[in-house]
Amino acid sequence: MTQTVLITGGSRGIGRATARLLGERGWSVGVNYAQNLRAAEQTVAEVERAGGRALPVAGDVAKEADVVAMFDAVTRAFGRVDALVNNAGIVAPSMPLADMDLARLTRIFDVNVLGAYLCAREAARRMSTDRGGAGGVIVNVSSAAARLGSPNEYVDYAGSKGAIDTLTLGLAKELGPRGVRVNAVRPGLIDTEIHASGGKPERAAQLGATTPLGRPGSADEVAQTIVWLLSDAASYVTGAILDVAGGR
Ligand code: NAP
């Protein structure tokens, strides 16, 4: 049977690569985006070319009503939601904590923590077998920053990803008996547009060269791990946090 996934932040980067790979495996994909409809439409086209079905789904993960509407839209289009890739995330320009203002801190934690929790909650409500769901899988997208701390760059972002690791550990225990596996990937330096949004477009290339594998990772390399965690090949894996970070 065709499986359906909602990928938050599916319009670009790691989310798009995951959508495309799932399309190759015949999945139906809800491609969430915040602003960039054109990018979401390109992802949808790539999924369809790969053999899957896809739908662009607008919404800010930090807004509860948007999150509920996103899940509703995917359910209307494809019948149900079997999986969530909790991927949407942002950084802000590099600076020490002492220079960060409240607006920046609030937005980082709203999107990266509150947004991820709201999406996971919505998935739990719909997938848990004790609530009439059919079970399912959640993959949270954390970051190596959660264990490195990102000093002088973005300790706010690093802390927000620490929360994702903790969510993964707790929710895996909560939802295991209810038919839902919950895991996380912790990407390292991956070649996407997120670094430019933090003011350092060359960051992945420059720092990637200093990792044990000597290069940045690609969005596809993270997506491969996410897709494996979603698959039945990972049927006994829950509560795991997998580094995809080239040894960093
Ligand atoms: P990206 O290329 O900048 O893409 C970010 C995606 O998130 C876009 O699809 C964007 O939508 C969406 N998004 C942003 N804010 C949103 C919101 N409030 N609601 C819904 N969607 C929102 O980023 P990426 O590098 O692929 O990162 C994906 C995830 O991997 C993030 O959680 C990031 O923290 C994590 N990660 C990345 C790296 C790395 O080196 N790239 C390393 C570790 C962890 P629009 O297109 O509409 O803007």
Side-chain angles (χ1 to χ4, degrees):
M1 192 190 327
T2 300
Q3 288 192 288
T4 297
V5 61
L6 172 62
I7 304 177
T8 66
S11 51
R12 294 185 285 120
I14 292 167
R16 171 183 286 173
T18 305
R20 193 173 45 232
L21 276 183
L22 288 172
E24 285 174 11
R25 286 157 180 74
W27 284 59
S28 299
V29 185
V31 178
N32 162 247
Y33 66 100
Q35 315 268 349
N36 199 333
L37 172 60
R38 184 172 295 195
E41 286 176 339
Q42 190 181 324
T43 304
V44 166
E46 289 185 21
V47 172
E48 289 174 345
R49 256 200 312 278
R53 294 192 299 167
L55 176 79
V57 187
D60 179 347
V61 293
K63 294 189 177 147
E64 183 179 29
D66 285 15
V67 170
V68 173
M70 282 155 47
F71 277 84
D72 284 346
V74 174
T75 305
R76 258 196 319 275
F78 301 127
R80 59 166 204 270
V81 180
D82 303 298
L84 166 69
V85 179
N86 215 353
N87 165 74
I90 56 169
V91 297
S94 291
M95 62 182 71
L97 176 64
D99 291 329
M100 293 179 189
D101 63 20
L102 179 63
R104 171 210 171 106
L105 290 168
T106 301
R107 189 63 187 155
I108 291 287
F109 285 101
D110 274 357
V111 173
N112 293 1
V113 182
L114 184 63
Y117 270 70
L118 285 172
C119 291
R121 185 197 69 179
E122 205 53 34
R125 286 181 172 174
R126 292 164 191 249
M127 294 176 189
S128 297
T129 48
D130 62 336
R131 290 170 179 260
V137 194
I138 297 172
V139 178
N140 295 321
V141 180
S142 174
S143 169
R147 54 180 170 70
L148 297 171
S150 306
N152 300 307
E153 282 198 298
Y154 13 72
V155 293
D156 53 348
Y157 171 83
S160 75
K161 293 301 187 178
I164 297 306
D165 288 1
T166 306
L167 169 66
T168 303
L169 298 176
L171 202 59
K173 291 174 183 158
E174 203 168 286
L175 295 184
R178 298 175 167 95
V180 182
R181 293 189 295 109
V182 184
N183 294 290
V185 293
R186 242 178 350 205
L189 293 153
I190 309 301
D191 187 15
T192 73
E193 293 166 352
I194 201 170
H195 306 286
S197 71
K200 293 184 174 172
E202 304 305 322
R203 182 173 177 272
Q206 283 168 354
L207 291 179
T210 71
T211 64
L213 291 190
R215 61 172 178 84
S218 69
D220 265 346
E221 288 175 305
V222 181
Q224 291 282 2
T225 306
I226 293 172
V227 168
W228 177 73
L229 285 169
L230 289 174
S231 76
D232 285 344
S235 55
Y236 200 57
V237 182
T238 198
I241 300 171
L242 294 188
D243 287 311
V244 188
R248 179 170 152 90

